[in-house]
Amino acid sequence: MRLIAKDMDISTGGIQIVILNKQDADRMDLRPNDRLFVENGRKKAIAILDIAETEKAVPLGHIGLFEETLKVLRAKNGDSIEFHVARKPESVQYIRKKLDGHELDPYELNTIIKDIVFNKLTDVELTSFVTANYTRGQSIREILAMTKSMAYSGLHLKLKKHPVMDVHSIGGVPGNRTTPIIVPLVAAAGLTIPKTSSRAITSPAGTADTLEVITNVVLPREKLERLAYQVGGFMVWGGAIALAPADDKIIAVEHPLNIDAEGQMIASILAKKMSVGATHLLLEIPIDGNGKVSDDKKALHLKNIFTLIGARVGVDVHTIITDGTQPIGNGIGPALEARDLIWVLTNDRRGPTDLREKSLIMAGKMFEIAGKSKPGEGYMLAQKLLDSGEAYAKFVEMIKAQGGPRIVRAESIPLSKYTCEYRAPKSGRIVEINNKAIAHIAKSAGAPSDRGSGVYLHKHRNDVVSAGDLLYTIYANNKDELRLACESSKVHSGYVIK
Amino acid sequence: MRLIAKDMDISTGGIQIVILNKQDADRMDLRPNDRLFVENGRKKAIAILDIAETEKAVPLGHIGLFEETLKVLRAKNGDSIEFHVARKPESVQYIRKKLDGHELDPYELNTIIKDIVFNKLTDVELTSFVTANYTRGQSIREILAMTKSMAYSGLHLKLKKHPVMDVHSIGGVPGNRTTPIIVPLVAAAGLTIPKTSSRAITSPAGTADTLEVITNVVLPREKLERLAYQVGGFMVWGGAIALAPADDKIIAVEHPLNIDAEGQMIASILAKKMSVGATHLLLEIPIDGNGKVSDDKKALHLKNIFTLIGARVGVDVHTIITDGTQPIGNGIGPALEARDLIWVLTNDRRGPTDLREKSLIMAGKMFEIAGKSKPGEGYMLAQKLLDSGEAYAKFVEMIKAQGGPRIVRAESIPLSKYTCEYRAPKSGRIVEINNKAIAHIAKSAGAPSDRGSGVYLHKHRNDVVSAGDLLYTIYANNKDELRLACESSKVHSGYVIK
């Protein structure tokens, strides 16, 4: 079948799409999401079909091509495009198998992951894979196979170093910005720690968002390898380098449904660690009754699977289970968190003690894992490196090596200009600070896209307060968002005083 | 936030879409499939976000609008469009609930069905609903609620008649075109039978495809009510009238995955029967080891659920379990099937006996159900109406009332001009005719989109043949498709001779 090309002037950034007029499609018995094999002379492509309802969009006898397909076919308006129906990729039958409740073998999972990476699956197919994993669950064998497939589908850092340290938190606790303190601490002890972090998905700030306030977090891969050798590590945004690239596409489907299939989460985390060549991982599992990990039993279950799969892919996983029931540090939002962590690194009295303590404990644990300290002595080494200013010096070195300024002063990081305050409605002791409520207020105020917006906590759990005491300050970039966030704080302040 | 409108010159036929430049979206922390509330003066809409990777598709500071949204907003190129992030529709949380394995209540299911009908769900959300129903299964309560929601989401025929008869086959048997024979038989007996049929989804012909060879199958709703009173019934394509409109959208997702969630299938069939006001339904369940219903146990299970749900929505369901292991009739493909059924209706010796017998048995059963015949005497009435030409007269009346010709002669229905033959490779008895293989050959030859293409069977199961006897003829519209279909028949002829 031959049709005339029409340049649709649209790009998807991934999947290849062609559009037929509805009448043409009906006549040829084609449906949306059918795959077409299209040819322009010797150039060939497989594209997904969309249907245009009107003559205006795609006239009869024409085939609308998106940028990706135009490029592959080297086609332009008016070219004669030959096409016929293409077979579905092999992976569709494996997705169907998973939907039917059967276990997938490594070959089948690898085929699916490859087709995800190369944009060969439609939204319908990808979604059914993700939801099937969620509703049917995944076996250890499946998670292991998926971890390997995800790791091998992307780039790898090739570091001739041992050990290569890494740290990761399951997340869900606002302000828990230990990574930018731990990484310089670990590197200051002479260890290698090539750290990639994510941006916020549903939280007021991800580590990459916070670091971006201070320095450059998008660097070319070759530079990363150089930094690992010369500086001992780096702190960058993982999304910019194609480590485990299937992951982003899976998250894009999970995000709107707000689901996080356990097997996929484990595979995704460990695949990224494999990609940077990590040999030792400290995994933080915060427990919060209302959060991602609600109790000890769930934490222990995760710890076991991570350790098991980690061992099979060459990553020695150690876990630390922490109290995740209230925010860590004072600032929540990129700039507010950045100020906090600089104060901790410079031993300023404004540095939040809980953030300092947690970072020291975790870095200490990593020293013991790496054999830098004897068991029980890691904390002391971490304390020494922090108090002496060595960790801060390493931090400054890293920031600068990544293309940031020579020196960063916490006070010079700008905050959003509009503020409002939330004060204690009565006297008593703070018995609860709800993570979700605080995160919601910070997001209403514009975090993380407004870097300077968020919430600054003046009081923590167990503090005794008098009616009228300042509990937190909200920062927003414009009056609308400020009003929204302040109203949120009145509906559910997040603080329980008794 | 304000952006400048760009007319994208594309329509989706349903869901409303807006496109932002990737840089704008990143800056505002927006992702594909986020929902935006867009305003142009007083006109408002909620649209789904897509991302443009290039400046060419959607420049910075612009918002690309599809036809549906342009129309609702009464917007044109250069208009200033105000927008902000919209909340997800309520139904997304219920879909999530189903994904988590919980039962949905009638309110929740109704909310989802309404959002499907009004194009409020993205592909990701709709797919996860369909796959969750498939993997988690649906309770009787859920199927019942979904049946009602689907029926009430569309149009209703309001017939002040009792009984209102209907007939439906679970399908999967090629050539099984009993409906256009049964409907005139039932109407000839003075009963009311407003029949809507589907087009082929994966088969070589649907009843609507076959009827379209003879008459008009797309009629306005008011005309349908008039026909039900004046002629006693009609035979039209259900897709053209918005009866149970959620159904098409669910099928669009099931089709590429080739899944058919049982609960959804039952709800969809019964909802359509409710929509035409059917009080009595004869449901045919063909059993075929390789087909949709593979054994007695599965058939009995379906019979029970259909009867149970039917009783709760006011449809008295009777089932007939039939042998579905070989094609019915000789012709497979719209025109070939149309000729067969006219021959049966005109008592021509070329009319296939199996098609005639099956139609008489089913029509007879419907007479007994409706109280037109005493138990055991329905077949005789059907035979009388057919042999006397009364059924054919009613058929001609219907065809004409639907805008077709005054008279249709089977011989005047054109077939595709290229043919090839498949002959018995050896002598013996035909012990098997495989439905899927025959359907595949007919589809390779161009059926159903080429109305005159398909397969004509000269021999049936249990026939004794000599080597070289003609088993079937393949009809195709062009030489390419003929070659394709003939090659298919050589690979797997569908006939087993022993």
Side-chain angles (χ1 to χ4, degrees), chain A residues 9-11 13 27 31 53 56-57 88 96 99-100 124 127-128 131 134-135 200 255-259 449, chain B residues 9-11 13 27 31 53 56-57 88 96 99-100 124 127-128 131 134-136 200 255-258 449:
Chain A
D9 219 354
I10 301 184
S11 112
R27 202 167 46 83
R31 288 154 210 277
E53 302 278 330
K56 197 179 163 199
K88 284 181 190 176
R96 174 64 204 269
L99 274 171
D100 282 334
V124 168
T127 304
S128 59
T131 56
Y134 183 74
T135 56
H255 177 64
L257 302 170
N258 200 22
I259 61 171
S449 52
Chain B
D9 219 354
I10 301 185
S11 108
R27 201 167 47 82
R31 288 153 210 278
E53 302 277 329
K56 198 180 161 199
K88 284 182 190 174
R96 172 65 204 268
L99 274 171
D100 282 334
V124 168
T127 304
S128 58
T131 56
Y134 183 73
T135 58
R136 298 289 190 189
H255 176 64
L257 301 170
N258 200 21
S449 52

Side-chain angles (χ1 to χ4, degrees), chain A residues 6 8 54 56-58, chain B residues 7-11 65 67 70:
Chain A
K6 178 184 172 184
M8 299 304 291
T54 60
K56 197 179 163 199
V58 178
Chain B
D7 181 346
M8 298 304 291
D9 219 354
I10 301 185
S11 108
L65 304 171
E67 297 302 320
L70 281 167

Side-chain angles (χ1 to χ4, degrees), chain A residues 6-14 19 26-29 31-34 51-54 56-58 66-68 70 88 92 95-96 98-100 122-125 127-128 131-132 134-136 199-203 251-260 447-450, chain B residues 6-14 19 26-29 31-34 51-54 56-58 66-68 70 88 92 95-96 98-101 122-125 127-128 131-132 134-136 200-203 251-260 447-450:
Chain A
K6 178 184 172 184
D7 180 347
M8 299 304 291
D9 219 354
I10 301 184
S11 112
T12 62
I19 307 189
D26 282 348
R27 202 167 46 83
M28 295 180 262
D29 200 33
R31 288 154 210 277
N33 281 328
D34 277 350
I51 305 286
E53 302 278 330
T54 60
K56 197 179 163 199
V58 178
F66 276 30
E67 297 303 321
E68 288 78 8
L70 281 167
K88 284 181 190 176
V92 173
I95 293 174
R96 174 64 204 269
K98 185 70 198 170
L99 274 171
D100 282 334
T122 64
D123 270 2
V124 168
E125 291 152 357
T127 304
S128 59
T131 56
Y134 183 74
T135 56
R136 298 289 191 189
R199 294 191 192 279
I201 296 179
T202 55
S203 71
I251 287 175
V253 169
E254 292 188 318
H255 177 64
L257 302 170
N258 200 22
I259 61 171
D260 196 356
S449 52
D450 289 337
Chain B
K6 178 184 173 185
D7 181 346
M8 298 304 291
D9 219 354
I10 301 185
S11 108
T12 61
I19 307 190
D26 282 348
R27 201 167 47 82
M28 295 180 262
D29 201 33
R31 288 153 210 278
N33 280 330
D34 277 350
I51 306 285
E53 302 277 329
T54 60
K56 198 180 161 199
V58 178
F66 275 29
E67 297 302 320
E68 288 78 7
L70 281 167
K88 284 182 190 174
V92 173
I95 293 174
R96 172 65 204 268
K98 185 70 198 173
L99 274 171
D100 282 334
T122 63
D123 270 1
V124 168
E125 291 153 356
T127 304
S128 58
T131 56
Y134 183 73
T135 58
R136 298 289 190 189
I201 296 179
T202 56
S203 70
I251 287 174
V253 169
E254 291 187 318
H255 176 64
L257 301 170
N258 200 21
I259 61 172
D260 195 359
S449 52
D450 289 336

Side-chain angles (χ1 to χ4, degrees), chain A residues 453-467:
Chain A
S453 301
V455 174
Y456 188 85
L457 311 180
H458 301 282
K459 298 289 176 189
H460 288 262
R461 203 171 52 203
N462 291 328
D463 285 353
V464 174
V465 295
S466 304

Side-chain angles (χ1 to χ4, degrees), chain B residues 343-354:
Chain B
W343 280 325
V344 168
L345 282 163
T346 52
N347 299 301
D348 188 289
R349 60 170 181 78
R350 285 165 291 187
T353 0
D354 57 345

